[in-house]
Amino acid sequence: MAKKDSSVPSSSRSAVESVAEKKPAAALTQLVTAVEMGARQREISVSEFFTKNRHLLGFDNPRKALLTCVKEAVDNALDASEEAGILPDVTVQLEVVPTGGTTLPASQATRFRITVTDNGPGIVRQHIPRIFAKLLYGSKFHRMRMSRGQQGIGISAAGMYGQLTTGKPVQIISRTGPKAAAHYFEVQIDTKKNEPLVHENKQIAWDQPQGTQVTLEVEGKYQKGRASVDEWLEQTSIANPHVRLIYRTPEGETKEYPRTYHELPPSPREIKPHPYGIEFGMMLKMLQDTKGHSVSGFLSSDFCRISPQLADEICKAAKVSPNMKPRDLKGPVAETLYQTLQNTKIMAPPTNCISPIGEKAILSGLYKQIKGEFYTAVSRPPAVYRGYPFIIEAGLAYGHRPEDQTKPKQPAGPKAEGEGEDEHSELARVIRYANRVPLLYQQSSCSTFKAVLGTTWKHYGISQSRGALPGGPMVIFVHMASVWVPFTSESKEAIADYDEIQKEITLALRECGRRLGLFLRRRERAASEFRRRNIFELYIEEVVEACNRLKGGKLPKEKLKAQLQKIATSRTGGLKTDEALGKTGGGPEGLPDSIIVTAEGIEGAVEIAQQVEADAPKAAGAAVNDLSDKEQMAATNQGKKQKKEPAKPEKKAKNKPVSRKSAKSEKSPAPRGKK
Amino acid sequence: MATKQKKMTTAVEKKLIGLADVVITAAERAKDPTIAIPIRALSNVSFNERKGLIEMGCKKQARSFFNVGMAKKFMQTMLVADALSELQRADLTTSLREIYYRTKHTIADSHENTFDTQDESDPVIEDLEVSLAALREELHVRAENSGSIVGPVVFGDDGDRVDCAKLGKGGYSVPSIVEPEYLEIRRCTADFVLLVEKGTQWNRLSEDKFWRRYNCVLLTGNGQPPRGVRRLARRLHEEHRLPVYVLVDNDPWGYYIYSVIKQGSINLAFESQRMAIPKAKFIGLSSADPERYELPRNVGIKLNEKDIARAKELMNYQWFQKPAWQAEIKRMLGSGLKYELDALANKDFQYLTKKYLPRKLKEKDWLD
Ligand SMILES: Nc1ncnc2c1ncn2[C@@H]1O[C@H](COP(=O)(O)OP(=O)(O)OP(=O)(O)O)[C@@H](O)[C@H]1O
Ligand SMILES: [Mg+2]
């Protein structure tokens, strides 16, 4: 579905207007005649336009530009691999380019080389120059199918930005299969004509059997933190757990985001436009381009959900002859037809054109990247706005891992008033996605963010000040998948506020919140059980002593104490009561599509967590620098130590009077999963 | 104080030891140790019209150890029981406050105290009184002495002869335990007992030798009369057939003090049997008095919200249902004012002694 319906994007309208604005002033002073003005009129190429208006494409400042370049290349790599049915392996490398003979540290450098390599299908040699050095050239624009890229501008714009700021061409290596040759290209864009200039084109030896590698040299700024390349890649990895991502930072670190979900998302189908989604101008254009010979045929073949029979009915209702040639349909008659289309009851579009991430994959992604104690994910059924089908997905990661909970050792003893309150000052973080791509800018104008604010989190036991984000250690994940995501602007940063979208997001968030609420209540219950037991144990001693004195000191104290302690334990439900576990309601532990991490193990969707753990030794997001000599030394030293005195620790363990804890942990297998 | 003969094991001590047995038996059977404690609240008292007494019902409250809300109370109950049994063994009497200190300590391995204030231990003692059906004296617990008596009555206290007619204006301080084995009434020639709410007015009457002139016993409990004072009034009433007149401030609290003396209290309803004086009469200050005795309005005090609420509460009590009483309280509410006994001084310092009480007695102007 086209957003901009010709070779010039809609934003160029503003350029035309600004020219028009000058006219009255000119007329007033009579300095420029119409003829002179006419002579000045010139076609503006897209490239020229975007050179001047690069902020429209996300190149407003060096920091954002660096991110945009990475994003465009990675989006393309993922789109291509998925479309070709390949589980993506993507490597992103950022290097500081020396300027003036010196290599600055990454945080101060102004020039970077970005290299993104994928294992996708590769690109046919003939297309390479235009893909990378012609704006508005691509395979995704003219179809109704969910993908990250849409407009055919992305990578060539990044190339153009590099060319503009560093003068360097884009370097491409691409290979379509192990039997094909790898081609190396250096291309630049002729901004006047919006045509590629090929500087270099040769076959090379490449160690990869298939895929594409793009290298861009650009002016940029590397700074970690919010809205950084690092954050974007991390969030990409959360929403795309089927991707293996390796990131070599400009500081020389290597981060690996392992693949934790080993299935490709189902390939979305391409669909035809739905009559409800279309704009009038678009329909006029379709009438010109159609292969149908009659209006009736045009309706049934160029739109989805219109049968020939329905097409005839629509024509009849619009008082248009069904056999009329589509090209002849113009003016008010066309408008009547358009109105009739909008007013006719037509089935919602098919939804197989979008592929949601899925609850399991979201859980997997969240579990992998965010250390929490509770995770849940919700995929809503498909819905429709303006005729476009879409699916909303939401997820939550809440709390701290049990091992981290005990870490901040608070000083023992009673807290003074106001002490320990700052814990609650932490606010939730919202991570937003459109078609699996993280959105990092313009959070507050995004429909997802508004829905988060509009949800009453207090219902679920989460604190929330008026008009603010909910409080607490929580990450809220929202994804909108659609054939056409309605962004608030060209830079694709925030999702527009359609009622239908807002409603779906809210419903998804509520379900997540409801589950979190259940979890929190259950945990609270478990905590109070614990408190109860503590209270009893505290008082048992006193009661036993008092009884003993009452009985004249002739009481077998230890026996009474043991008996009472046993009652205390059984009264508070042993280690963990069924009640505390919440063995009520359906689904694993009553919470569908959720993972609960406790000190004793994992509950809920265990297989997902286990898969992540299995992939974890490759270190999720952790530095996997090749072992330095020092570390290797340390490692071998440790080994030696262990060899030296192996007997002692064993003996100790045996002699111990059976630590109750170890006995327990042996009995219950770590992950408490579905039964 | 008391030097009673030491027995092997007193009945009370047996009852106290029984509490330990409750715990031991329950533990043996893996059950939650539970003590049943009669409820000391309006919901569990009834007014026996025939006897003119407030009687305790049989509603009981289970106090269980393995219940978060009660665990501490249970533990405290055991500690107090222990302290009380210690008193029995040593044959000592003690005060509420001393019990509090005796049982207070910090629980091992914690910052928690067994008791934080005396407000926590006092009710536990009352709980035990009720649930073991033991009198406070039997538990060897005495209240603070806070009552005075003066008049033609002779006591035997620890072998000493106490003639209350020869103790000047200060009188004799009423001990908290006045049971016959502790306090003997050797002789009493008075015609009636006047129980005055306030110490100040008692002082006035004592100083003016009102008791001599009207041949009565003057008693005060300095506010809500303690058990010793109530019990002594009851003994004088019972053993020497003296009518008892109650003189209180004209406010809802005064009415209630009167009703406690007459019918017993809600909190200690189980003690009514031996404390209440159903024939006691309310001599004043009545809401009708300001008009009759021409007290100016300016010596009245405006009823506050609490007073009004309390007055309305009183009107609902079964034992305030007599028409005269309903009228009495309504009159006070209607005037919107309350009067202290002290206000009588507005007319004359000795108005109470010389005018008010003589006229009251002469006119037999009292409420039943
Ligand atoms: N790594 C790649 N492997 C295979 N094909 C690629 C790759 N990168 C780009 N392409 C092809 O090049 C086309 C143009 O890419 P470009 O990023 O310019 O536009 P787009 O992805 O279609 O839309 P958008 O402007 O929204 O990114 C894509 O449509 C795709 O067909
Ligand atoms: Mg793209």
Side-chain angles (χ1 to χ4, degrees):
Chain A
M1 178 77 251
K3 172 164 75 164
K4 301 134 196 178
D5 58 341
S6 74
S7 59
V8 179
S10 62
S11 346
S12 64
R13 248 182 282 137
S14 57
V16 175
E17 273 159 18
S18 66
V19 172
E21 268 166 28
K22 281 179 188 161
K23 276 180 189 166
L28 214 72
T29 49
Q30 292 282 313
L31 285 177
V32 184
T33 67
V35 182
E36 282 171 315
M37 278 234 349
R40 283 189 203 169
Q41 298 290 2
R42 226 170 353 107
E43 197 178 325
I44 307 154
S45 102
V46 231
S47 340
E48 281 178 306
F49 175 76
F50 279 117
T51 305
K52 280 202 172 163
N53 296 295
R54 60 195 197 196
H55 60 275
L56 293 177
L57 299 175
F59 298 97
D60 340 20
N61 59 62
R63 183 163 184 252
K64 196 168 165 189
L66 187 71
L67 169 64
T68 305
C69 292
V70 171
K71 172 177 140 42
E72 293 301 342
V74 172
D75 283 355
N76 283 353
L78 296 180
D79 272 348
S81 312
E82 282 168 16
E83 210 177 325
I86 300 164
L87 276 170
D89 271 342
V90 177
T91 304
V92 177
Q93 176 161 14
L94 293 190
E95 293 163 285
V96 174
V97 178
T99 38
T102 50
T103 311
L104 292 162
S107 58
Q108 287 161 39
T110 53
R111 216 182 244 211
F112 292 87
R113 187 178 301 114
I114 304 163
T115 307
V116 175
T117 316
D118 65 58
N119 63 339
I123 305 169
V124 191
R125 184 164 52 96
Q126 292 83 345
H127 288 301
I128 292 177
R130 272 173 293 175
I131 284 178
F132 293 96
K134 181 177 170 69
L135 292 181
L136 296 170
Y137 186 88
S139 57
K140 306 166 200 167
F141 184 76
H142 294 280
R143 61 179 194 194
M144 282 277 277
R145 181 180 183 273
M146 174 185 153
S147 57
R148 295 175 180 77
Q150 208 95 52
Q151 312 164 15
I153 301 178
I155 196 65
S156 32
M160 193 173 80
Y161 170 76
Q163 177 181 333
L164 225 64
T165 52
T166 69
K168 291 283 162 63
V170 184
Q171 301 169 338
I172 305 106
I173 302 173
S174 192
R175 189 172 184 179
T176 54
K179 283 177 193 144
H183 291 274
Y184 173 81
F185 275 87
E186 278 181 18
V187 295
Q188 278 200 314
I189 189 165
D190 177 345
T191 44
K192 283 238 170 61
K193 295 190 197 136
N194 185 26
E195 283 297 335
L197 298 167
V198 179
H199 289 291
E200 184 84 69
N201 167 18
K202 61 184 180 191
Q203 285 189 15
I204 57 156
W206 198 36
D207 53 3
Q208 262 191 236
Q210 186 176 316
T212 306
Q213 174 173 306
V214 192
T215 305
L216 300 158
E217 205 171 307
V218 301
E219 194 182 287
K221 182 167 164 34
Y222 177 76
Q223 191 190 334
K224 290 184 190 168
R226 284 190 73 88
S228 62
V229 174
D230 297 51
E231 186 185 29
W232 188 83
L233 288 172
E234 187 196 317
Q235 290 193 13
T236 301
S237 146
I238 293 174
N240 299 272
H242 65 290
V243 175
R244 175 168 182 258
L245 186 63
I246 293 171
Y247 170 37
R248 295 186 210 287
T249 71
E251 284 159 346
E253 213 186 322
T254 301
K255 290 184 184 177
E256 181 181 339
Y257 300 94
R259 185 179 351 270
T260 55
Y261 198 72
H262 299 262
E263 263 169 63
L264 264 177
S267 172
R269 293 282 177 77
E270 197 173 331
I271 62 160
K272 289 175 203 149
H274 191 274
Y276 286 176
I278 201 126
E279 268 133 22
F280 182 52
M282 187 64 197
M283 192 188 85
L284 288 180
K285 186 164 177 295
M286 284 170 74
L287 280 167
Q288 298 305 306
D289 297 345
T290 182
K291 292 192 183 88
H293 297 294
S294 65
V295 173
S296 158
F298 158 74
L299 291 176
S300 59
S301 64
D302 285 20
F303 288 102
C304 69
R305 298 298 198 210
I306 298 190
S307 63
Q309 196 196 341
L310 183 61
D312 284 345
E313 274 171 34
I314 292 168
C315 289
K316 211 166 143 198
K319 299 198 173 68
V320 175
S321 159
N323 299 321
M324 190 173 168
K325 275 204 178 126
R327 250 165 286 260
D328 297 342
L329 197 65
K330 276 178 190 135
V333 193
E335 212 173 318
T336 318
L337 180 69
Y338 178 77
Q339 282 310 331
T340 315
L341 267 180
Q342 304 306 309
N343 297 335
T344 310
K345 201 167 187 316
I346 302 168
M347 234 173 112
T351 50
N352 53 4
C353 52
I354 31 182
S355 112
I357 302 172
E359 282 135 347
K360 290 202 169 67
I362 295 174
L363 275 182
S364 176
L366 286 172
Y367 185 82
K368 172 174 65 164
Q369 275 321 116
I370 294 159
K371 297 263 171 281
E373 56 180 321
F374 175 77
Y375 303 84
T376 193
V378 172
S379 281
R380 293 283 309 159
V384 177
Y385 81 94
R386 260 180 54 202
Y388 298 117
F390 71 98
I391 287 178
I392 293 297
E393 298 179 290
L396 275 185
Y398 180 89
H400 303 289
R401 282 282 157 88
E403 61 264 27
D404 297 335
Q405 286 171 356
T406 45
K407 250 181 207 164
K409 270 268 178 237
Q410 272 156 347
K415 271 181 200 163
E417 212 178 294
E419 246 178 350
E421 265 176 13
D422 33 336
E423 286 165 33
H424 302 286
S425 60
E426 186 181 356
L427 286 186
R429 185 157 71 104
V430 183
I431 55 178
R432 306 170 290 133
Y433 297 90
N435 287 352
R436 294 162 184 268
V437 179
L439 307 175
L440 298 189
Y441 286 93
Q442 305 240 359
Q443 169 168 276
S444 53
S445 48
C446 190
S447 181
T448 58
F449 185 75
K450 290 180 193 166
V452 171
L453 293 189
T455 302
T456 316
W457 295 91
K458 279 188 180 150
H459 291 335
Y460 314 119
I462 303 285
S463 67
Q464 184 181 24
S465 318
R466 258 186 88 114
L469 282 171
M474 174 159 73
V475 174
I476 303 169
F477 171 110
V478 187
H479 175 225
M480 173 174 182
S482 178
V483 288
W484 192 259
V485 178
F487 288 109
T488 54
S489 71
E490 282 82 1
S491 45
K492 305 206 272 190
E493 285 158 348
I495 299 171
D497 226 351
Y498 284 92
D499 285 351
E500 298 89 337
I501 299 173
Q502 184 90 20
K503 183 182 145 210
E504 281 296 313
I505 301 172
T506 304
L507 288 173
L509 288 173
R510 275 190 202 155
E511 176 59 21
C512 286
R514 197 187 62 81
R515 292 181 196 164
L516 175 63
L518 283 174
F519 164 76
L520 289 175
R521 239 171 291 147
R522 187 180 305 171
R523 206 185 52 170
E524 175 55 37
R525 232 179 295 152
S528 76
E529 291 293 294
F530 186 70
R531 259 200 316 272
R532 273 174 63 182
R533 177 123 29 95
N534 272 355
I535 286 177
F536 299 152
E537 302 215 318
L538 198 62
Y539 299 154
I540 281 174
E541 187 80 46
E542 293 290 334
V543 169
V544 169
E545 286 300 332
C547 286
N548 183 42
R549 285 191 300 267
L550 277 166
K551 294 298 265 182
K554 289 173 249 156
L555 197 69
K557 278 197 285 180
E558 288 310 315
K559 186 177 145 213
L560 180 60
K561 208 162 127 185
Q563 284 169 337
L564 289 174
Q565 261 158 358
K566 210 170 134 202
I567 303 173
T569 310
S570 75
R571 292 265 156 179
T572 49
L575 257 189
K576 229 178 176 197
T577 44
D578 286 357
E579 189 192 16
L581 274 172
K583 281 184 182 157
T584 45
E589 311 297 2
L591 299 175
D593 300 305
S594 305
I595 301 176
I596 298 171
V597 185
T598 67
E600 271 108 63
I602 307 157
E603 297 163 20
V606 180
E607 68 287 349
I608 292 169
Q610 278 172 338
Q611 185 58 56
V612 175
E613 304 288 1
D615 293 310
K618 290 174 222 159
V624 286
N625 276 339
D626 299 341
L627 278 185
S628 65
D629 291 354
K630 248 191 218 163
E631 279 168 322
Q632 262 170 357
M633 291 258 289
T636 45
N637 274 349
Q638 255 184 5
K640 268 182 210 161
K641 252 187 210 162
Q642 274 169 358
K643 266 176 211 160
K644 253 188 199 168
E645 35 186 358
K648 264 189 190 166
E650 266 172 42
K651 235 184 193 171
K652 237 186 217 164
K654 267 182 199 165
N655 289 348
K656 254 189 189 166
V658 189
S659 98
R660 226 192 293 163
K661 260 183 203 160
S662 64
K664 260 170 218 156
S665 58
E666 265 166 39
K667 255 181 235 164
S668 60
R672 316 170 119 263
K674 291 181 187 169
K675 274 130 214 171
Chain B
M1 192 195 232
T3 44
K4 280 177 62 193
Q5 282 246 321
K6 200 180 163 166
K7 296 168 200 162
M8 279 310 288
T9 311
T10 62
V12 172
E13 192 179 354
K14 272 188 193 136
K15 286 180 186 170
L16 290 167
I17 295 171
L19 292 176
D21 290 323
V22 166
V23 176
I24 296 162
T25 332
E28 207 70 64
R29 298 182 190 155
K31 291 259 160 58
D32 190 357
T34 303
I35 311 167
I37 293 167
I39 294 169
R40 294 180 286 115
L42 185 60
S43 64
N44 193 36
V45 298
S46 58
F47 178 58
N48 184 328
E49 238 167 300
R50 197 175 47 80
K51 293 189 199 159
L53 294 177
I54 295 177
E55 289 181 335
M56 181 125 102
C58 42
K59 278 190 221 156
K60 289 187 179 176
Q61 187 184 27
R63 178 167 301 166
S64 308
F65 183 34
F66 291 108
N67 174 314
V68 213
M70 303 181 207
K72 185 160 194 182
K73 262 264 172 76
F74 187 93
M75 178 270 287
Q76 292 174 331
T77 311
M78 295 308 294
L79 290 180
V80 170
D82 173 33
L84 292 175
S85 95
E86 190 188 340
L87 287 176
Q88 296 289 322
R89 282 196 302 273
D91 199 16
L92 293 169
T93 64
T94 189
S95 67
L96 292 170
R97 188 139 188 88
E98 279 174 351
I99 291 198
Y100 161 61
Y101 282 124
R102 179 73 188 135
T103 50
K104 176 170 186 163
H105 58 260
T106 302
I107 298 167
D109 301 326
S110 78
H111 299 290
E112 198 176 325
N113 290 328
T114 50
F115 294 91
D116 281 323
T117 64
Q118 195 186 332
D119 295 346
E120 287 177 53
S121 60
D122 287 359
V124 171
I125 294 166
E126 283 177 359
D127 286 344
L128 283 175
E129 285 179 59
V130 213
S131 48
L132 302 179
L135 300 174
R136 188 168 286 186
E137 300 80 50
E138 291 176 322
L139 291 175
H140 292 197
V141 180
R142 51 185 145 80
E144 312 325 312
N145 294 5
S146 62
S148 306
I149 186 168
V150 69
V153 58
V154 180
F155 296 123
D157 181 354
D158 275 2
D160 296 336
R161 186 190 137 93
V162 181
D163 185 347
C164 297
K166 293 182 174 158
L167 289 171
K169 51 181 175 293
Y172 172 62
S173 163
V174 182
S176 71
I177 301 179
V178 296
E179 293 311 307
E181 55 266 51
Y182 294 89
L183 191 75
E184 188 193 338
I185 304 176
R186 292 196 183 157
R187 206 167 63 94
C188 176
T189 54
D191 293 332
F192 64 92
V193 175
L194 184 64
L195 212 170
V196 187
E197 173 187 355
K198 279 185 163 166
T200 51
Q201 300 312 306
W202 183 88
N203 284 337
R204 155 74 38 233
L205 294 168
S206 175
E207 202 178 301
D208 296 351
K209 298 288 183 241
F210 178 84
W211 57 271
R212 191 164 282 159
R213 193 154 172 193
Y214 290 89
N215 192 33
C216 66
V217 167
L218 289 177
L219 249 178
T220 183
N222 294 311
Q224 178 72 261
R227 289 165 193 240
V229 172
R230 281 175 61 198
R231 179 72 184 134
L232 185 58
R234 162 79 179 252
R235 283 189 66 195
L236 291 169
H237 171 72
E238 213 169 39
E239 295 166 25
H240 294 270
R241 314 234 163 263
L242 303 187
V244 174
Y245 302 104
V246 180
L247 181 64
V248 294
D249 282 344
N250 181 231
D251 61 25
W253 321 98
Y255 293 152
Y256 188 69
I257 286 173
Y258 159 73
S259 85
V260 166
I261 292 162
K262 189 178 173 76
Q263 290 106 359
S265 74
I266 295 171
N267 196 26
L268 297 173
F270 65 99
E271 299 253 59
S272 301
Q273 290 288 2
R274 52 182 208 105
M275 296 272 223
I277 307 162
K279 286 187 181 142
K281 304 279 186 286
F282 173 86
I283 198 163
L285 213 52
S286 157
S287 56
D289 291 344
E291 200 190 315
R292 234 176 280 169
Y293 293 85
E294 290 164 348
L295 287 178
R297 197 177 163 79
N298 60 18
V299 301
I301 301 172
K302 191 172 170 269
L303 290 172
N304 60 35
E305 271 171 45
K306 264 200 206 156
D307 295 329
I308 294 169
R310 184 74 181 128
K312 285 182 177 160
E313 218 174 347
L314 292 181
M315 285 181 77
N316 286 325
Y317 288 160
Q318 271 174 307
W319 49 96
F320 275 112
Q321 293 310 310
K322 287 178 194 153
W325 269 105
Q326 292 282 316
E328 165 74 26
I329 302 173
K330 262 189 206 146
R331 201 180 308 115
M332 177 179 67
L333 284 171
S335 77
L337 295 177
K338 57 184 179 184
Y339 291 85
E340 291 183 290
L341 280 169
D342 316 55
L344 295 171
N346 177 261
K347 303 224 127 199
D348 184 300
F349 280 125
Q350 291 186 310
Y351 191 78
L352 176 69
T353 330
K354 299 228 165 111
K355 295 270 163 56
Y356 180 81
L357 281 175
R359 181 172 157 197
K360 278 267 169 182
L361 290 168
K362 198 173 126 217
E363 291 177 1
K364 296 192 185 336
D365 177 20
W366 48 66
L367 278 171
D368 183 26

